[in-house]
Amino acid sequence: MARVLTLLRPQPFLALIGRRKPMVCKMSMDSRARLVFAAAVEAVQPDTIIRRSIERKGDSVTIDGHNFTLKHNLHLVGFGKAVLGMAAEAERLLGDHIVKGVISVPHGIQHTLQEHGKGHLLLKGHSRIKVMEGAKNNLPDAEAQSAAEGIKQMASELTEKDILLVLISGGGSALLPAPIPPITLVEKLDVTRKLAAAGATIQELNTVRRALSYLKGGGLAHFAHPAKVVSLILSDVIGDPLDLIASGPTVRSEVWPEEVLSVLERYKMLNSLPASVKEVLGRPGPRWKVTKEDDAESGHVHNVVIGSNSMALMCAGRRARELGFRPVVVAPGVCGDVRLVSRLYGLLARFACAREEPPSEIAAEMLSLGPEVGVESWDLCRTMQVLDEGRTEGWGATCLLAGGEPTVELTGMGRGGRNQELAMRVGLELRDLGVPPNGPVFLSGGTDGQDGPTEAAGAVTDGGLYEEAEAQGLHLETFLTNNDSYTFFSSLSAGQRLLVPGLTCTNVMDVHMLLIPPVPINIR
């Protein structure tokens, strides 16, 4: 009788969306999760974000609401892993007004793109933009420094009639090394490496980097003055802080030597500094004097984030809706230890899958975990409210989306990355919640297509992971202890759970996805 009443009960429109495309709904939860992830990556392709951000009408271009007149006065520079594709699209749109350009991109990127059939992300043979490859293994090197010097030289020659278009993406800091003489590149790298090893925060690292560099912390914009500077930024940092992405070369962030010395003293590095670093930090005052001209400089600089994790999640949500899910974005800034992050997702899954009102202890534990993993309490409360409404009103399947960059404490010598390890741990959390299509599915993937030193971006998991592994003689805890998530997923069912999208050409951190099947309505 209860089943009959359920069938007869009027259902909200959103609950019926999943029935509009029956062929789509026959797809497995695993397949739909992979399609949603692909949509997130597609949304932040370098050519796509440039095309979406530049509006060209004749000799006028509009970027982020600002209009610029083109009179063969456009110069282009860039640095980052996705910048080659960004530059190719910018040249396609504005090439007739580009005077010249210099971009600093990863070693071997042109060959790699050609090999993977990504020729549309390469510059044409007649391009006015010079491509300089460097930063092998993502470390600043002589080639990257040469590119940085070329970029500085170009910026310094500009006049008030010129426009400098700056393209920035993740990896830009390593590709724009310009230590202040007499500091050498090796000395600067040694100082920042020791700081990182000592546990310095990203803010502290950037404070030191900026003080030892000509171009970071607004240095590039300073040298380009009085030209107009427009920076188009693909963010790979939680919260999209402009001063942290590639160490903010077009964002004035003045650093005084006293502030840097305080950081170095905190980590007991003052006595081991090279003489060159001591000399630069011993110079009085900031790197350059702030004059009326410098104050006017800020009005000549426009920094625009054109691609981010939030944008990827938004487009992923649209695709999820097309595939029969109600999308809910939980948060774009998940961070902290993967063990805590996996616990939060396990609790969210239990809350979402409950047929009746979940125990209050679940909500209480989620709210206590939230701040530790970068998820605000109000975001969790909003998510729980939406899930409660879906439970009482009979909405169909739900897709919870989140992004960010959790961390892994290394205790072993195995192969893997944070996404694959997170998927393993969430699989354990889902163990007693059933298997698809009646149980939840979890996906974690890096939008750059690489999770640690592996070919995988992440993995897809569900409540059947533990039993499946045990049946094949694979003990999850052993692999977790050795941080060997890639070996685990490669060995499990011939690697079918691995997420291997190939070369993605972009990076806006990670995408996490929890697919919740429809929860039957209990009618009293």
Side-chain angles (χ1 to χ4, degrees):
M1 185 62 168
R3 184 181 178 189
V4 173
L5 287 171
T6 301
L7 292 172
L8 292 175
R9 177 179 176 176
Q11 297 181 47
F13 172 72
L14 286 173
L16 300 174
I17 287 179
R19 286 200 268 267
R20 289 169 56 192
K21 296 182 180 179
M23 291 302 293
V24 170
C25 289
K26 289 181 180 178
M27 295 171 61
S28 69
M29 297 268 276
D30 177 292
S31 297
R32 285 188 276 176
R34 293 171 188 270
L35 287 174
V36 173
F37 177 77
V41 172
E42 183 61 32
V44 286
Q45 285 297 293
D47 55 336
T48 301
I49 58 173
I50 289 292
R51 196 160 50 246
R52 198 165 54 210
S53 306
I54 295 177
E55 184 182 350
R56 170 85 185 266
K57 290 183 179 178
D59 291 340
S60 175
V61 63
T62 302
I63 299 174
D64 192 39
H66 298 279
N67 296 314
F68 303 93
T69 301
L70 302 175
K71 293 181 179 179
H72 305 286
N73 57 345
L74 186 63
H75 298 71
L76 185 149
V77 298
F79 28 90
K81 295 179 180 179
V83 155
L84 186 55
M86 295 168 73
E89 187 63 19
E91 186 173 53
R92 190 186 70 79
L93 294 170
L94 309 170
D96 54 326
H97 284 279
I98 293 178
V99 179
K100 61 179 177 178
V102 177
I103 58 174
S104 180
V105 297
H107 176 80
I109 186 66
Q110 295 177 95
H111 177 70
T112 302
L113 288 173
Q114 196 73 58
E115 269 194 334
H116 286 78
K118 305 278 187 178
H120 64 288
L121 298 179
L122 293 169
L123 294 166
K124 305 304 179 188
H126 58 274
S127 175
R128 294 190 179 95
I129 301 169
K130 183 179 181 180
V131 180
M132 301 184 72
E133 296 187 357
K136 196 172 184 179
N137 299 320
N138 202 31
L139 294 172
D141 54 21
E143 287 74 20
Q145 184 170 354
S146 178
E149 289 168 355
I151 288 171
K152 175 178 175 288
Q153 176 76 23
M154 179 188 294
S156 301
E157 295 171 351
L158 301 180
T159 71
E160 68 276 2
K161 297 178 181 179
D162 293 315
I163 300 169
L164 181 65
L165 182 62
V166 184
L167 307 177
I168 303 174
S169 75
S173 188
L175 285 159
L176 195 73
I180 300 173
I183 300 172
T184 67
L185 184 59
V186 172
E187 288 171 333
K188 181 185 171 188
L189 184 58
D190 186 55
V191 170
T192 53
R193 271 179 171 169
K194 287 178 179 177
L195 265 178
T201 65
I202 184 64
Q203 289 83 0
E204 290 170 330
L205 282 169
N206 274 330
T207 294
V208 175
R209 283 195 192 112
R210 286 193 294 259
L212 306 182
S213 171
Y214 264 132
L215 298 178
K216 293 176 171 61
L220 177 58
H222 173 79
F223 286 110
H225 189 77
K228 295 181 179 68
V229 177
V230 183
S231 288
L232 303 183
I233 303 166
L234 179 63
S235 171
D236 67 336
V237 183
I238 288 175
D240 309 328
L242 296 175
D243 62 323
L244 294 189
I245 304 168
S247 299
T250 55
V251 181
R252 186 193 295 173
S253 183
E254 192 54 72
V255 177
W256 293 74
E258 295 81 2
E259 185 180 358
V260 182
L261 291 170
S262 175
V263 172
L264 295 168
E265 184 178 20
R266 192 173 306 135
Y267 295 99
K268 298 179 173 55
M269 288 181 55
L270 281 180
N271 295 329
S272 61
L273 290 177
S276 58
V277 174
K278 290 180 179 178
E279 178 186 331
V280 169
L281 295 179
R283 295 170 186 171
R287 285 173 296 174
W288 48 74
K289 293 181 180 179
V290 179
T291 63
K292 288 183 179 179
E293 188 179 72
D294 289 320
D295 284 335
E297 177 186 311
S298 59
H300 285 255
V301 180
H302 304 283
N303 291 296
V304 189
V305 174
I306 62 172
S308 66
N309 191 270
S310 294
M311 294 177 187
L313 295 182
M314 181 177 66
C315 291
R318 290 177 188 157
R319 187 71 175 114
R321 191 178 292 281
E322 292 170 0
L323 293 169
F325 295 96
R326 174 180 170 81
V328 180
V329 175
V330 181
V334 177
C335 57
D337 194 286
V338 290
R339 289 171 293 189
L340 298 179
V341 175
S342 65
R343 179 59 180 164
L344 179 68
Y345 288 141
L347 291 167
L348 269 170
R350 292 179 189 282
F351 189 96
C353 291
R355 297 193 178 193
E356 298 178 349
E357 186 175 340
S360 59
E361 292 82 3
I362 294 180
E365 187 177 350
M366 276 198 286
L367 291 172
S368 67
L369 267 178
E372 295 189 62
V373 296
V375 183
E376 300 288 346
S377 296
W378 73 270
D379 278 325
L380 286 171
C381 289
R382 170 182 53 80
T383 300
M384 286 188 282
Q385 181 179 356
V386 171
L387 292 172
D388 268 334
E389 290 172 356
R391 182 182 299 107
T392 56
E393 297 184 21
W395 285 330
T398 302
C399 175
L400 298 181
L401 291 160
E405 208 164 76
T407 55
V408 173
E409 181 184 349
L410 295 178
T411 56
M413 300 294 290
R415 293 184 68 200
R418 59 181 179 264
N419 287 286
Q420 292 165 86
E421 182 155 329
L422 178 59
M424 285 180 72
R425 293 186 180 279
V426 172
L428 287 174
E429 291 284 343
L430 302 180
R431 186 177 173 186
D432 59 347
L433 291 179
V435 296
N438 300 315
V441 166
F442 178 78
L443 177 149
S444 183
T447 56
D448 62 353
Q450 279 191 307
D451 187 39
T454 77
E455 64 175 1
V460 185
T461 190
D462 56 54
L465 182 71
Y466 180 83
E467 282 73 17
E468 183 181 336
E470 288 293 311
Q472 297 175 39
L474 303 171
H475 305 297
L476 272 82
E477 291 299 339
T478 302
F479 287 97
L480 285 171
T481 301
N482 197 34
N483 299 119
D484 206 12
S485 53
Y486 179 72
T487 302
F488 169 78
F489 279 115
S490 297
S491 306
L492 182 71
S493 302
Q496 290 181 10
R497 290 179 178 268
L498 282 172
L499 179 66
V500 188
L503 184 69
T504 65
C505 308
T506 190
N507 181 20
V508 292
M509 301 180 291
D510 305 333
V511 169
H512 305 154
M513 188 186 320
L514 193 57
L515 301 184
I516 308 295
V519 178
I521 306 171
N522 285 337
I523 298 182
R524 294 185 178 88

Coordinates of all heavy atoms in Angstrom, one line a residue, residues 391-421:
R391 N 15.0 14.8 0.7 CA 14.5 13.6 1.4 C 13.0 13.7 1.6 O 12.2 12.7 1.4 CB 15.2 13.4 2.7 CG 14.8 12.1 3.4 CD 15.5 12.0 4.8 NE 17.0 11.9 4.6 CZ 17.8 12.9 4.9 NH1 17.4 14.0 5.3 NH2 19.1 12.8 4.6
T392 N 12.5 14.8 2.0 CA 11.1 15.0 2.4 C 10.2 15.2 1.2 O 9.0 14.9 1.2 CB 10.9 16.1 3.4 OG1 11.4 17.3 2.8 CG2 11.6 15.8 4.7
E393 N 10.8 15.8 0.1 CA 9.9 16.2 -1.1 C 10.1 15.2 -2.2 O 9.5 15.3 -3.3 CB 10.3 17.6 -1.5 CG 9.9 18.6 -0.5 CD 10.1 20.0 -1.0 OE1 10.2 20.2 -2.2 OE2 10.3 20.9 -0.1
G394 N 11.0 14.2 -2.1 CA 11.1 13.2 -3.1 C 11.9 13.6 -4.3 O 11.6 13.1 -5.4
W395 N 13.0 14.4 -4.2 CA 13.8 14.7 -5.3 C 14.6 13.4 -5.7 O 14.7 12.5 -4.9 CB 14.9 15.7 -4.9 CG 14.3 17.1 -4.9 CD1 13.2 17.6 -5.6 CD2 14.7 18.2 -4.1 NE1 12.9 18.9 -5.3 CE2 13.8 19.3 -4.3 CE3 15.7 18.4 -3.1 CZ2 14.0 20.5 -3.7 CZ3 15.8 19.6 -2.5 CH2 15.0 20.6 -2.8
G396 N 15.1 13.4 -6.9 CA 15.8 12.2 -7.4 C 17.2 12.1 -6.9 O 17.5 12.6 -5.8
A397 N 18.1 11.6 -7.8 CA 19.5 11.5 -7.4 C 20.1 12.9 -7.2 O 19.7 13.9 -7.9 CB 20.2 10.7 -8.5
T398 N 21.2 12.9 -6.4 CA 21.9 14.1 -6.1 C 23.3 14.0 -6.4 O 23.9 12.9 -6.2 CB 21.7 14.5 -4.6 OG1 20.3 14.6 -4.3 CG2 22.4 15.8 -4.2
C399 N 24.0 15.1 -6.9 CA 25.4 15.1 -7.1 C 26.0 16.2 -6.2 O 25.8 17.4 -6.5 CB 25.7 15.4 -8.6 SG 27.4 15.7 -9.0
L400 N 26.7 15.8 -5.2 CA 27.5 16.8 -4.4 C 28.8 17.0 -5.0 O 29.6 16.1 -5.3 CB 27.6 16.2 -2.9 CG 26.3 15.9 -2.2 CD1 26.6 15.4 -0.8 CD2 25.5 17.2 -2.0
L401 N 29.2 18.3 -5.2 CA 30.4 18.7 -5.8 C 31.3 19.5 -4.8 O 30.7 20.4 -4.1 CB 30.2 19.5 -7.1 CG 29.5 18.7 -8.2 CD1 28.9 19.6 -9.2 CD2 30.6 17.8 -8.9
A402 N 32.5 19.3 -4.9 CA 33.5 20.1 -4.1 C 34.8 20.1 -4.8 O 35.1 19.3 -5.7 CB 33.6 19.6 -2.7
G403 N 35.7 21.1 -4.4 CA 37.0 21.2 -5.0 C 38.0 21.6 -4.0 O 37.7 22.0 -2.9
G404 N 39.3 21.6 -4.4 CA 40.3 22.1 -3.5 C 41.6 21.3 -3.7 O 41.9 20.8 -4.8
E405 N 42.3 21.1 -2.6 CA 43.6 20.4 -2.7 C 44.0 19.9 -1.3 O 44.7 20.5 -0.6 CB 44.7 21.4 -3.2 CG 45.8 20.7 -4.0 CD 46.6 21.7 -4.8 OE1 47.4 22.4 -4.2 OE2 46.4 21.7 -6.0
P406 N 43.5 18.7 -1.0 CA 43.8 18.1 0.3 C 45.3 17.7 0.3 O 46.0 17.8 -0.7 CB 43.0 16.9 0.4 CG 41.9 17.1 -0.6 CD 42.5 17.9 -1.7
T407 N 45.8 17.3 1.5 CA 47.2 16.9 1.6 C 47.3 15.5 2.1 O 46.4 15.0 2.8 CB 48.0 17.9 2.6 OG1 47.3 17.9 3.8 CG2 48.0 19.3 2.0
V408 N 48.4 14.9 1.9 CA 48.7 13.5 2.3 C 49.9 13.5 3.2 O 51.0 14.0 2.8 CB 48.9 12.5 1.1 CG1 49.3 11.1 1.6 CG2 47.6 12.4 0.3
E409 N 49.8 12.9 4.3 CA 51.0 12.7 5.2 C 51.7 11.4 4.7 O 51.2 10.3 4.7 CB 50.6 12.5 6.6 CG 51.8 12.3 7.6 CD 51.4 12.0 9.0 OE1 50.2 12.2 9.3 OE2 52.3 11.7 9.8
L410 N 53.0 11.6 4.2 CA 53.7 10.5 3.6 C 54.3 9.6 4.7 O 55.1 10.0 5.6 CB 54.9 11.0 2.7 CG 54.4 11.8 1.5 CD1 55.6 12.3 0.7 CD2 53.6 10.9 0.6
T411 N 53.9 8.3 4.7 CA 54.4 7.4 5.7 C 55.1 6.2 5.0 O 55.6 5.3 5.6 CB 53.3 6.8 6.6 OG1 52.2 6.3 5.7 CG2 52.7 7.9 7.4
G412 N 55.0 6.1 3.6 CA 55.6 5.0 2.9 C 56.2 5.5 1.6 O 56.4 6.7 1.4
M413 N 56.6 4.6 0.8 CA 57.4 4.9 -0.4 C 56.7 4.5 -1.7 O 57.3 4.3 -2.8 CB 58.8 4.2 -0.4 CG 59.6 4.5 0.8 SD 60.2 6.3 0.7 CE 61.3 6.2 -0.6
G414 N 55.4 4.3 -1.6 CA 54.6 3.8 -2.8 C 54.3 4.9 -3.8 O 54.7 6.0 -3.6
R415 N 53.6 4.5 -4.8 CA 53.2 5.5 -5.9 C 51.8 5.8 -5.8 O 50.9 5.0 -5.5 CB 53.4 4.8 -7.3 CG 54.9 4.6 -7.6 CD 55.0 4.1 -9.1 NE 54.6 5.1 -10.0 CZ 54.2 4.8 -11.3 NH1 54.1 3.6 -11.7 NH2 53.9 5.8 -12.1
G416 N 51.5 7.1 -6.0 CA 50.1 7.5 -5.9 C 50.0 9.0 -5.7 O 51.0 9.7 -5.8
G417 N 48.8 9.5 -5.4 CA 48.6 10.9 -5.2 C 47.4 11.1 -4.3 O 46.8 10.2 -3.9
R418 N 47.2 12.4 -4.0 CA 46.1 12.7 -3.0 C 44.7 12.3 -3.4 O 43.9 11.9 -2.6 CB 46.1 14.2 -2.6 CG 45.9 15.1 -3.8 CD 45.9 16.6 -3.5 NE 45.7 17.4 -4.7 CZ 46.7 17.9 -5.4 NH1 48.0 17.7 -5.1 NH2 46.5 18.7 -6.5
N419 N 44.5 12.3 -4.8 CA 43.1 12.0 -5.2 C 42.9 10.5 -5.1 O 41.8 10.1 -4.7 CB 43.0 12.4 -6.7 CG 42.8 13.9 -6.8 OD1 41.8 14.5 -6.5 ND2 43.9 14.6 -7.2
Q420 N 43.9 9.7 -5.5 CA 43.7 8.2 -5.4 C 43.6 7.8 -4.0 O 42.8 6.9 -3.6 CB 44.8 7.5 -6.2 CG 44.8 7.7 -7.7 CD 46.1 7.4 -8.4 OE1 46.3 6.2 -8.7 NE2 47.0 8.3 -8.6
E421 N 44.4 8.4 -3.1 CA 44.3 8.0 -1.7 C 43.0 8.5 -1.1 O 42.4 7.7 -0.3 CB 45.5 8.6 -0.9 CG 45.5 8.2 0.6 CD 46.8 8.2 1.2 OE1 47.9 8.0 0.6 OE2 46.9 8.5 2.5

